[in-house]
Amino acid sequence: MPNRITACGCSVPKGTKCVHEQASAKRRQASNDAERGTPAQRGYDADWSKIRFRFLHHHPTCCVCGAKATHVDHIKSIREAPELRLVESNLRAMCLPCHSRRTAKDQSQAWGKPKAA
């Protein structure tokens, strides 16, 4: 399989990144992480840990596919409705694949929208 030539002129095997692309991706991720804030700043604190543990105990299966639940999803996001962050009626149990799909869909729909204050 032939190598691909990157924008910076490096020759790398297809499906891999050169050191310059890797460094750029690392900087971009660090910038995104800094802007995003810590989990506690986003509402995932000790109170959240307690309710999450209790919720998964009472709802052990994914509400989408029936697999073992490992995540608790907010029906209305914390950004959208911070007052519902710890309200059980706003939560649902999900497995990792279903939660990842839901999160990706929600985040793609929120692109460009202002964050709640």
Side-chain angles (χ1 to χ4, degrees), residues 26-86:
K26 194 172 192 174
R27 284 191 304 273
R28 188 172 51 253
Q29 184 64 51
S31 174
N32 290 344
D33 288 346
E35 183 180 315
R36 190 173 182 212
T38 66
Q41 290 168 332
R42 294 190 324 264
Y44 301 103
D45 54 11
D47 292 336
W48 168 249
S49 291
K50 290 175 190 173
I51 197 167
R52 179 190 175 280
F53 178 81
R54 186 174 65 239
F55 194 84
L56 285 174
H57 177 75
H58 293 290
H59 304 88
T61 59
C62 177
C63 67
V64 177
C65 70
K68 182 180 181 202
T70 55
H71 289 69
V72 177
D73 182 61
H74 288 91
I75 296 168
K76 286 195 174 197
S77 71
I78 295 175
R79 179 185 285 186
E80 184 182 343
E83 70 281 3
L84 299 177
R85 178 175 74 95
L86 301 175

